[in-house]
C-alpha cells in the first residue's frame, strides 16, 4: 500500500506499507526518514529530532503522530465495506444449507463453502480498500460475489455428480 498526502505544515508525506510483512516507510518532501523500529521513524526538522509513530494498517486506517500532531493517512474501512464482504459469506452459508435453494442452484455450503466464501469475502475487503470511488467498490464486490458463486456452484456440481 502506498499513500501520498499533502499536509500544510510538513508538506508532501508519502507512506508505504508492505501487505505481507507490515513494515512501513515514510518520506517527507522526498526525504526518506530513518527507521528506528517497525513503524517508528525520526524526522530532522532543522536541528531538532522529531519522533514519528505510525499506527494502524490497511483495514483499521493509518494515523501518524509527528511530535504533537496527529495526521490521518488513510481512513478506516467504512461500514458498507464490511457489510458487503460479510454478505458474500452469509449468502453462501445460507444458500448452501437450504435444500430448496440448492435444488435451484447447487452451491456447496458447510465447511467447504464457508471457507471459500470467507476467503473471497476477505479478498473483497482488502481489494475494496485499495480504491476510493464507491462505484468501483461495488464493481469489485460484484466481481468477488460472482467468483464465489461460480466456484461454490462448480464444487456443488462436482459433489452431486460424484454422489450419483
Amino acid at each position: 500500500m502506498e499513500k501520498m498526502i499533502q499536509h500544510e505544515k510538513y508538506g508532501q508525506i508519502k507512506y508505504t506499507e508492505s501487505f505481507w510483512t507490515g513494515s512501513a516507510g515514510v518520506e517527507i518532501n522526498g526525504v526518506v526518514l530513518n527507521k528506528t523500529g517497525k513503524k517508528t521513524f525520526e524526522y530532522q526538522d532543522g536541528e531538532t529530532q522529531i519522533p514519528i509513530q505510525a499506527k494502524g494498517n490497511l483495514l483499521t486506517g493509518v494515523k501518524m503522530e509527528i511530535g504533537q500532531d496527529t495526521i490521518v493517512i488513510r481512513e478506516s474501512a467504512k461500514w458498507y465495506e464490511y457489510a458487503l464482504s460479510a454478505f458474500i459469506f452469509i449468502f453462501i452459508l445460507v444458500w448452501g444449507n437450504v435444500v430448496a435453494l440448492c435444488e435451484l442452484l447447487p452451491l456447496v455450503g458447510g465447511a467447504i463453502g464457508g471457507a471459500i466464501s470467507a476467503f473471497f469475502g476477505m479478498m473483497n475487503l482488502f481489494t475494496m480498500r485499495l480504491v476510493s470511488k464507491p462505484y468501483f467498490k461495488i464493481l469489485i464486490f460484484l466481481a468477488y460475489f460472482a467468483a464465489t458463486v461460480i466456484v461454490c456452484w462448480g464444487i456443488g456440481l462436482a459433489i452431486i455428480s460424484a454422489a450419483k
Side-chain angles (χ1 to χ4, degrees):
M1 168 190 80
E2 185 174 297
K3 182 76 174 182
M4 193 173 300
I5 65 166
Q6 188 68 31
H7 191 264
E8 63 273 357
K9 183 177 178 182
Y10 297 103
Q12 186 177 12
I13 300 173
K14 181 180 174 185
Y15 178 80
T16 56
E17 183 176 347
S18 171
F19 175 76
W20 300 107
T21 63
S23 65
V26 177
E27 287 182 28
I28 297 181
N29 295 321
V31 177
V32 178
L33 301 185
N34 293 331
K35 199 170 192 178
T36 59
K38 187 173 181 179
K39 289 191 175 185
T40 56
F41 306 90
E42 284 184 349
Y43 175 59
Q44 187 75 28
D45 186 22
E47 295 181 12
T48 312
Q49 290 282 123
I50 301 174
I52 296 177
Q53 173 95 30
K55 295 182 180 181
N57 57 35
L58 182 66
L59 294 179
T60 62
V62 177
K63 294 180 182 177
M64 286 179 51
E65 294 177 355
I66 302 176
Q68 300 299 321
D69 299 326
T70 301
I71 301 169
V72 177
I73 302 293
R74 182 178 288 276
E75 296 288 331
S76 62
K78 305 281 191 258
W79 67 269
Y80 59 86
E81 294 171 342
Y82 288 120
L84 290 174
S85 298
F87 177 79
I88 293 173
F89 176 73
I90 293 168
F91 179 85
I92 296 297
L93 198 65
V94 170
W95 191 286
N97 289 307
V98 176
V99 176
L101 293 175
C102 282
E103 289 174 356
L104 294 173
L105 182 67
L107 299 179
V108 67
I112 297 169
I116 292 167
S117 61
F119 171 75
F120 278 107
M122 289 305 295
M123 291 305 297
N124 176 62
L125 182 60
F126 284 121
T127 309
M128 283 191 340
R129 294 291 296 143
L130 298 176
V131 298
S132 59
K133 305 266 188 232
Y135 53 87
F136 285 141
K137 293 177 188 269
I138 292 171
L139 290 175
I140 289 168
F141 160 73
L142 291 173
Y144 275 106
F145 180 69
T148 305
V149 169
I150 290 169
V151 168
C152 288
W153 176 59
I155 294 173
L157 288 178
I159 291 172
I160 289 172
S161 66
K164 288 185 178 181

